[in-house]
Amino acid sequence: MKIRSVDEFEFIERIKGRLPKLKNAALGIGDDCAVLPYTQDKYLLATADMLIEGVHFDLSRVSMYKVGRKALAVSLSDIAAMGGVPKYCIVSVGVPQAMAAASLDDFYSGLLKLASDFSVELIGGDTNRSEIFICDVCVIGEVEKGFLARRDGAKTGDSIFVTGSLGGSIKGKQYDFIPRVREARTLVGSFKIHSMIDISDGLSLDLYHITDSSKVGAIIYDDCVPVSQNTDSKKEALSAGEDFELLFTAPSDITEEALSKKLGMPVKKIGEIVSKAEGVKIGKEKGRKAELKKRGFKHF
Ligand code: ADP
Ligand code: MG
């Protein structure tokens, strides 16, 4: 059997299925970060993301500076999704021998500028020869135990919210986005956030990550999804991915106005969590609903 005939998420489940029960970690595979024991009041968070030339970026279209920035930004976004603060990064690169040394310097300039903006320290990595340019960034962070936001905490009756707007990230946001660490910290510090994820694969797929792991259903109000001015396609807003906005659920007495005011940016209520038996549906707030297609970015 070829790996492409297995769904990316089934593949991850296969690995998970081979592992013995976790001895120490509070949470292993399956959320935006692993959650590990740390101090009496805090957990340690760890996450890794890889970017590959020809799969994630084309060096004839984007600078190595932007690739370096994004390589760190995607992992900072995963720390944000848990409600945490990023602290350290470990950066590994596979470099073609013909690559100009200045290009690699550009990669680190982009990465280190963002690291400095978020007070993240680079503490190590690995360097290898490769046919194409590959980079992998592991970020370690921390979160107060009471502030941890997981994918599996959504409750029936919760409202579903999203920060900012969705779709059209291919026009530039996929490289230039600011990881929502500040916003996530304000959310977990000021509101009872039941579940949270960052939108990397697309709203539909990432919502399913929340509903599947929380064992609930959801209704999305089609007309409330905030569509970016970089696209006029609702379909794209639902499934294009790389928005790196926060998708979260919270008790229904929390309003989008209160959230937007506290965060100083637009937050939209886009639906509600219902029982698992009701499925995951989309439709006008007061109209007929259809099943939400599980559409978004998957590697295979
Ligand atoms: P995200 O989009 O938030 O970065 P992913 O979809 O990449 O998350 O990964 C989902 C979960 O699966 C995470 O917990 C991640 O650590 C885990 N995971 C992904 N690939 C592997 C792998 N090859 N081995 C072990 N765990 C993996
Ligand atoms: Mg994520």
Side-chain angles (χ1 to χ4, degrees):
M1 183 175 63
K2 298 259 171 31
I3 199 68
R4 66 166 177 261
S5 63
V6 186
D7 180 272
E8 177 188 338
F9 302 115
E10 282 170 30
F11 169 74
I12 295 171
E13 284 302 314
R14 273 163 78 116
I15 305 173
K16 202 172 161 185
R18 298 180 55 159
L19 304 178
K21 202 171 166 338
L22 294 172
K23 277 212 241 11
N24 298 310
L27 194 57
I29 294 176
D31 213 306
D32 292 291
C33 295
V35 181
L36 313 170
Y38 186 33
T39 67
Q40 199 176 347
D41 311 324
K42 288 179 181 175
Y43 290 118
L44 204 63
L45 300 171
T47 180
D49 267 288
M50 187 189 281
L51 296 183
I52 303 176
E53 182 184 353
V55 176
H56 296 96
F57 55 89
D58 174 353
L59 286 178
S60 66
R61 289 165 160 266
V62 66
S63 66
M64 282 287 273
Y65 184 96
K66 287 194 174 190
V67 173
R69 183 188 184 284
K70 180 172 180 175
L72 176 63
V74 292
S75 288
L76 298 187
S77 182
D78 279 327
I79 298 276
M82 309 300 291
V85 181
K87 290 283 186 188
Y88 306 103
C89 67
I90 298 174
V91 179
S92 302
V93 288
V95 189
Q97 284 172 298
M99 181 171 257
S103 290
L104 207 54
D105 287 343
D106 281 348
F107 171 85
Y108 277 96
S109 297
L111 190 149
L112 291 172
K113 168 68 170 67
L114 191 70
S116 149
D117 290 348
F118 281 84
S119 303
V120 168
E121 293 176 287
L122 200 167
I123 55 163
D126 193 21
T127 306
N128 295 273
R129 181 173 71 220
S130 170
E131 294 295 314
I132 45 162
F133 183 72
I134 302 176
C135 53
D136 179 85
V137 177
C138 167
V139 172
I140 295 164
E142 61 181 38
V143 63
E144 298 80 356
K145 289 186 175 172
F147 289 173
L148 178 69
R150 304 166 44 141
R151 294 179 180 182
D152 63 1
K155 294 186 173 44
T156 305
D158 276 3
S159 296
I160 306 171
F161 297 98
V162 69
T163 58
S165 61
L166 307 176
S169 73
I170 198 159
K171 297 243 170 83
K173 190 182 178 189
Q174 59 171 337
Y175 289 106
D176 300 334
F177 71 94
I178 297 171
R180 299 267 181 227
V181 175
R182 180 186 66 78
E183 292 81 359
R185 291 294 292 165
T186 306
L187 282 176
V188 296
S190 315
F191 300 94
K192 183 94 201 85
I193 304 302
H194 283 165
S195 68
M196 186 149 67
I197 190 170
D198 66 321
I199 302 182
S200 53
D201 300 329
L203 172 64
S204 307
L205 218 49
D206 286 318
L207 175 68
Y208 270 101
H209 289 321
I210 286 185
T211 56
D212 287 346
S213 59
S214 301
K215 301 189 172 57
V216 293
I219 295 173
I220 295 298
Y221 315 140
D222 195 21
D223 34 351
C224 295
V225 173
V227 181
S228 158
Q229 57 188 20
N230 288 324
T231 180
D232 46 22
S233 159
K234 175 64 68 66
K235 194 171 149 201
E236 214 184 280
L238 289 171
S239 60
E242 302 232 295
D243 299 298
F244 297 103
E245 294 293 348
L246 297 168
L247 175 66
F248 59 98
T249 77
S252 59
D253 58 341
I254 297 174
T255 63
E256 62 179 29
E257 290 78 17
L259 290 161
S260 303
K261 189 157 177 244
K262 193 82 191 172
L263 263 57
M265 71 167 297
V267 178
K268 282 289 289 179
K269 176 176 172 179
I270 60 164
E272 60 193 294
I273 296 293
V274 294
S275 72
K276 188 171 177 61
E278 291 175 75
V280 180
K281 303 231 161 75
I282 184 162
K284 296 234 177 322
E285 194 168 349
K286 298 205 169 59
R288 281 163 58 90
K289 314 283 191 292
E291 191 194 345
L292 178 68
K293 299 235 164 47
K294 233 181 202 179
R295 223 182 252 136
F297 184 81
K298 283 194 249 181
H299 281 279
F300 44 82

